[in-house]
Amino acid sequence: MTPHFTLAELTATNHRTLDNTPNEAETANLQRLAEFLEQVKEALDGKPIMVNSAFRSKAVNDAVGSRDSSQHRVGVACDFRVPGMTPDEVVRAIMASGLEYDQIIREFDAWTHISISNTVNTPPRKQALIIDKAGTRMFA
């Protein structure tokens, strides 16, 4: 897809018995996501981005207990870690970069979720959130 992000990486799942093959529209979204992740990598001074989860088929999404409205379902979201950076540091760096993210979320202080708009013509919301055991709130 791009120099640092492959389709295999963006569709990998631990639920190996479940089909996680994106359709044509989802693959097009994954291409946009991969291109955006290249910009994220650049904003993080070229540090490695370790993808935990990106695209999730309905079966995989259901298996992980996520909502059908998850942006992972349509291939526009990625959960990742950056070695040597805390999720807070990642969120702050991306917020400061001016990148056109839809959502950036520090999740359980263990990884960062980032998404782009669901469609090319939808403006990004630029939401920065925290999700943890205390619930969901704005990132401050």
Side-chain angles (χ1 to χ4, degrees):
M1 299 204 112
T2 64
H4 298 101
F5 302 96
T6 65
L7 181 61
E9 178 179 27
L10 297 176
T11 58
T13 179
N14 290 332
H15 299 277
R16 299 184 201 294
T17 60
L18 302 175
D19 183 22
N20 201 42
T21 305
N23 65 29
E24 189 175 320
E26 294 158 347
T27 301
N29 282 340
L30 285 167
Q31 180 65 47
R32 289 192 305 119
L33 179 64
E35 291 166 7
F36 181 74
L37 289 172
E38 291 289 347
Q39 295 175 40
V40 170
K41 183 175 178 66
E42 188 175 314
L44 300 176
D45 296 324
K47 290 181 175 61
I49 293 176
M50 313 300 290
V51 174
N52 297 342
S53 176
F55 174 74
R56 295 183 198 143
S57 67
K58 177 155 177 46
V60 170
N61 200 59
D62 289 350
V64 300
S66 190
R67 291 186 241 154
D68 281 339
S69 60
S70 169
Q71 290 181 295
H72 289 277
R73 282 285 297 112
V74 294
V76 296
C78 179
D79 296 340
F80 66 98
R81 294 171 291 103
V82 178
M85 291 183 79
T86 67
D88 271 354
E89 291 170 332
V90 171
V91 170
R92 290 185 198 291
I94 292 170
M95 288 174 67
S97 73
L99 288 176
E100 293 292 311
Y101 59 87
D102 189 58
Q103 286 187 317
I104 188 160
I105 307 171
R106 184 192 82 194
E107 293 195 34
F108 301 95
D109 207 23
W111 67 85
T112 305
H113 166 102
I114 197 160
S115 65
I116 56 175
S117 298
N118 286 18
T119 68
V120 176
N121 298 322
T122 306
R125 294 176 287 176
K126 298 280 284 202
Q127 283 186 326
L129 304 168
I130 295 171
I131 295 176
D132 57 21
K133 290 179 183 179
T136 302
R137 59 196 178 279
M138 299 303 292
F139 186 92

